[in-house]
Amino acid sequence: MNASHRPAPGSAAVDHRAAVAEETARFVAVIEGADLALPVPACPGWTLADLVKHTGSVQRWFSVLLRTRVQEPPRSREVDLRLPADEGHYPAWLAESADEAADAFAATAPDVPMYAWGADQHAGFWARRMLFETLVHRTDAEAALGLDPAIDRASAVDGIDEFLVNLPYAGIFAPKVAHLRGTGETIRFVAVDADRDWLVRLRPDGFGIDAADAATVAADAGVRGTAADLLLLLYGRRRHADASFEREGDQQLLAHWFANSEF
């Protein structure tokens, strides 16, 4: 699939490795003392305990990939999780998962070539991916507890870019992206609080960010909102019909995008 890419201006301001630790600490603070049997509406069928286990497991698995500097798709996701039997210890276990990630980051420079399922075939891919796995699930936990999630603007901008850059490569676990094809139709996502926009073009062979014409093309459809809201929209935590978004152009095209783009 085609995916042209221009780096997000916000990404240079985001230290992905440090942000993983910060987001995990926020996550841990949210769930300390919470009833981990509570359901997580953003993840149907999951409880808070499931959400914590998933997030910590991802961090530990990515850490193994970084330490071994894998050069081909891993054949197994089996990792020694050392998950405590008592769910009351899950917050501490999640904090320890971030410590393991920090150790892996310290041993592997971001520019080390290694396998990654997305666009960037370097170790930095995994730190950036880990950040947004952690950040989005932190907001899931907050929402499950009736809290209003807050996302740093620079992180939100970087997260939108990371999502759109890597989505064309996500078919292995998000098979519906194969339906995101077209004859040149375009969708623009505009972060109104960050002076930043992304133009996505659907082509016969796939889709991707269209950097060359982004400033001049009149898009067929578009969504405008804050960077934080757009990030949660792309991850399916918001709906494009929500009042917080301004929608433009072909609504069927937007519906098609959001029906096939979640992962």
Side-chain angles (χ1 to χ4, degrees):
M1 294 183 181
N2 288 330
S4 55
H5 169 226
R6 58 181 173 132
S11 64
V14 178
D15 181 338
H16 301 122
R17 296 170 171 223
V20 167
E22 293 165 4
E23 283 295 333
T24 307
R26 292 179 69 177
F27 198 153
V28 170
V30 167
I31 60 173
E32 285 279 10
D35 179 1
L36 297 186
L38 284 173
V40 180
C43 304
W46 282 15
T47 64
L48 277 175
D50 295 324
L51 187 72
V52 174
K53 180 180 177 181
H54 170 79
T55 305
S57 298
V58 166
Q59 290 187 351
R60 289 169 188 254
W61 181 52
F62 285 9
S63 297
V64 169
L65 299 183
L66 285 164
R67 289 193 192 95
T68 57
R69 302 184 183 184
V70 294
Q71 299 299 319
E72 59 184 23
R75 295 182 175 85
S76 171
R77 296 184 63 163
E78 292 297 319
V79 177
D80 182 8
L81 296 178
R82 299 192 294 280
L83 191 71
D86 183 349
E87 291 183 355
H89 297 305
Y90 273 24
W93 174 82
L94 180 59
E96 291 166 2
S97 300
D99 291 341
E100 289 206 12
D103 290 343
F105 294 155
T108 313
D111 59 354
V112 169
M114 62 180 287
Y115 164 79
W117 61 258
D120 179 13
Q121 298 289 299
H122 297 86
F125 168 89
W126 294 105
R128 196 181 189 201
R129 182 88 287 277
M130 190 189 300
L131 168 58
F132 294 109
E133 279 277 342
T134 306
L135 184 155
V136 171
H137 287 317
R138 183 265 296 172
T139 70
D140 291 340
E142 289 173 334
L145 292 167
L147 304 173
D148 187 19
I151 304 173
D152 172 78
R153 184 185 303 162
S155 294
V157 168
D158 189 41
I160 295 166
D161 189 76
E162 193 267 352
F163 181 96
L164 293 174
V165 165
N166 289 316
L167 186 64
Y169 303 88
I172 189 171
F173 46 82
K176 286 185 178 181
V177 300
H179 300 307
L180 294 175
R181 298 169 183 263
T183 56
E185 296 89 344
T186 53
I187 304 171
R188 174 171 277 114
F189 299 96
V190 180
V192 297
D193 58 337
D195 190 28
R196 180 73 169 94
D197 68 281
W198 297 258
L199 184 74
V200 176
R201 187 178 296 276
L202 277 59
R203 307 180 181 89
D205 62 342
F207 68 97
I209 294 177
D210 194 331
D213 300 322
T216 58
V217 167
D220 296 302
V223 182
R224 299 169 60 89
T226 67
D229 282 341
L230 283 176
L231 179 64
L232 294 177
L233 171 67
L234 290 171
Y235 275 97
R237 272 61 176 180
R238 300 278 191 271
R239 293 290 174 258
H240 67 280
D242 292 352
S244 54
F245 300 107
E246 180 182 345
R247 293 168 293 150
E248 303 168 337
D250 186 340
Q251 299 306 297
Q252 288 187 331
L253 179 58
L254 287 179
H256 176 67
W257 170 271
F258 288 111
N260 293 287
S261 60
E262 290 185 23
F263 79 85

